[in-house]
Amino acid sequence: MASMKNKTRFVDWANIEGDVLRCIADMTNAAWDLIRMTAVCRSWQASLANKRIKFPICLMLTEGYYSKEHCFYSTSEAIFDVLYLPEIQGRRCWGSPFGWLVTYALDFETRLFNPFSRTKIPLPSLNTIAEEEDCSLGELFMYSLRKLILCTSPEESDCIVLANTSDGWLFAKPSDEAWTLIGLSDHNDLDDAIYFKGNFYGCLHTGEIVLCEATHPKVVEFAPPPPDLRYFYPGIIIKYLFGLGGNLCIACRHVDTYYGTVGFVIFKLDMDTKSWEKIYSLGDRTLFLGNCSTFAIAAADYPGCKPNCIYFSDDSPLLGPTTRLDVGIYDCQNLKLEKQSERNSDFRVRMKPFPKSKDGRNLLLSSLSHLWIVPFPYHH
């Protein structure tokens, strides 16, 4: 009997019933918990094959351009992961909703990089832009190259990257040998651009929308700017283009003289009449903008993501640690205001800090680059 009592009892976890395993899996939405469960054995992996893992959208933080460690802070207010990524050391990066970064280095080399799979896809060199603009390596790195926008997923055959520079805008595919110039000198003041329904649309500093067909790289005027908001909202206005419910929309970001975000106003464009309609809600969608491709997603698809909100970050790279943080969440609820009180409304009541935790804010203060990225796109 004594020998029976001392006998070690082993549980055959690999053969746990699939229904029980799925029941356990359904009790958690934590992405890493589900990843660990599928990594236990092939049996568990097969049982959870149809289980959709919802990865949180993250704010990627980097202490400096030459740092190799990057922290991914999720919208659930927790560190999703800290990754050692020497592949993007010394490179400027822009986020995207496709799980990829667009990166650029002082050697003019641009490429797509997936920080989770470590996959790299080369893009044409930007050295010709530096020659045309007659600028140094550092000037192109920090100032002349304003934004690299990943318009479509690298997993698609029509993957396109758009470059917004002080000399105009260009586009390229990974298979191209050179960038194609599509912005002329009189259309170089570009705030944002989007690849929408097969064409490029750009928003100039004036708010005017220009169109460029992907097959015919020539810029033409498309729509006038939204109604002038400067009377009601004095200060600097930065505009972002995004798609919402099949419509082309623009988010007008109002910043003060210290480049701190004050509030947002959103318009929807009628593609036929070229007229703008002010909208007061994003519905069940969430908008992400800043140092990334501007994108709107269904909040329910991503843990911790608040619907009808705008998650924003700094547009420009920081030159050093700063106490000025322009990262946060703008709640669009109750955005509709009476016209007579609109001028004196206090937008800051709808501003929420992100991250909220002290540790998260300290992490943000020491970071030189803040960008939004969807680690793994969630497909329906």
Side-chain angles (χ1 to χ4, degrees):
M1 294 293 292
S3 60
M4 290 292 291
K5 289 182 180 180
N6 294 331
K7 196 177 261 189
T8 304
R9 184 179 179 184
F10 293 97
V11 178
D12 188 4
W13 290 108
N15 290 323
I16 188 173
E17 292 185 12
D19 290 344
V20 175
L21 183 62
R22 284 299 297 258
C23 182
I24 296 172
D26 289 341
M27 296 176 68
T28 179
N29 285 320
W32 282 127
D33 288 344
L34 296 172
I35 291 173
R36 293 185 184 100
M37 292 176 72
T38 58
V40 169
C41 61
R42 291 182 179 178
S43 176
W44 282 32
Q45 188 178 50
S47 296
L48 300 174
N50 296 325
K51 176 69 176 177
R52 290 174 175 171
I53 300 178
K54 298 183 179 181
F55 292 91
I57 296 175
C58 293
L59 186 68
M60 191 181 95
L61 305 173
T62 309
E63 287 192 6
Y65 293 112
Y66 296 96
S67 174
K68 297 180 180 179
E69 285 193 350
H70 302 264
C71 176
F72 293 80
Y73 198 91
S74 77
T75 51
S76 301
E77 290 281 353
I79 293 178
F80 178 65
D81 208 347
V82 178
L83 298 179
Y84 180 75
L85 302 172
E87 297 93 336
I88 55 176
Q89 182 184 20
R91 304 182 73 90
R92 281 188 65 185
C93 298
W94 291 266
S96 81
F98 308 111
W100 292 73
L101 300 172
V102 192
T103 73
Y104 170 73
L106 282 170
D107 58 3
F108 302 118
E109 296 306 314
T110 55
R111 63 176 176 238
L112 301 174
F113 178 70
N114 190 313
F116 301 94
S117 67
R118 315 294 279 267
T119 305
K120 293 180 285 187
I121 301 177
L123 292 167
S125 174
L126 283 169
N127 59 346
T128 54
I129 297 178
E131 294 172 1
E132 292 173 0
E133 295 192 9
D134 191 26
C135 61
S136 67
L137 292 169
E139 288 173 337
L140 181 63
F141 184 78
M142 294 301 301
Y143 305 111
S144 297
L145 182 59
R146 295 168 178 168
K147 201 172 189 180
L148 285 172
I149 303 169
L150 182 57
C151 300
T152 52
S153 172
E155 299 174 1
E156 304 294 333
S157 58
D158 62 345
C159 174
I160 297 176
V161 178
L162 191 68
N164 180 14
T165 76
S166 58
D167 195 45
W169 36 310
L170 312 93
F171 77 90
K173 296 181 178 181
S175 58
D176 291 343
E177 295 183 0
W179 292 83
T180 300
L181 179 66
I182 56 176
L184 304 180
S185 58
D186 56 343
H187 289 124
N188 60 0
D189 293 327
L190 195 69
D191 266 2
D192 200 12
I194 187 174
Y195 186 65
F196 183 74
K197 295 185 177 180
N199 292 317
F200 294 108
Y201 292 88
C203 178
L204 307 184
H205 289 342
T206 59
E208 179 186 356
I209 304 299
V210 292
L211 162 69
C212 176
E213 295 181 357
T215 54
H216 301 88
K218 181 180 178 181
V219 176
V220 296
E221 295 179 359
F222 184 76
D228 189 9
L229 302 172
R230 297 183 188 278
Y231 175 76
F232 294 106
Y233 315 108
I236 302 168
I237 300 176
I238 307 172
K239 301 174 183 72
Y240 303 86
L241 291 176
F242 65 101
L244 183 69
N247 299 297
L248 183 62
C249 298
I250 189 170
C252 301
R253 179 180 187 173
H254 302 270
V255 297
D256 56 26
T257 53
Y258 298 99
Y259 283 88
T261 298
V262 177
F264 291 88
V265 178
I266 306 168
F267 293 91
K268 178 177 68 176
L269 179 65
D270 186 311
M271 303 292 280
D272 296 321
T273 64
K274 310 297 190 295
S275 60
W276 295 95
E277 176 190 351
K278 190 174 181 180
I279 59 176
Y280 301 95
S281 174
L282 296 172
D284 61 354
R285 301 283 153 168
T286 304
L287 180 63
F288 289 81
L289 53 82
N291 193 30
C292 62
S293 307
T294 307
F295 60 94
I297 52 88
D301 288 345
Y302 298 91
C305 198
K306 301 180 185 298
N308 199 24
C309 287
I310 300 174
Y311 287 70
F312 60 92
S313 69
D314 288 292
D315 269 289
S316 304
L318 302 176
L319 300 179
T322 177
T323 56
R324 182 192 66 81
L325 294 176
D326 197 22
V327 180
I329 305 172
Y330 183 78
D331 190 349
C332 296
Q333 187 175 7
N334 301 321
L335 194 60
K336 190 170 185 177
L337 302 171
E338 294 296 330
K339 289 185 178 180
Q340 57 266 29
S341 63
E342 201 168 32
R343 187 176 182 181
N344 299 318
S345 62
D346 185 5
F347 282 105
R348 293 193 182 277
V349 299
R350 289 190 291 273
M351 305 288 275
K352 299 178 181 178
F354 181 87
K356 290 182 181 178
S357 67
K358 183 178 179 181
D359 290 342
R361 300 297 285 179
N362 290 336
L363 187 65
L364 202 63
L365 283 169
S366 63
S367 175
L368 297 188
S369 178
H370 319 132
L371 60 86
W372 300 106
I373 183 172
V374 182
F376 297 85
Y378 176 73
H379 298 292
H380 291 284

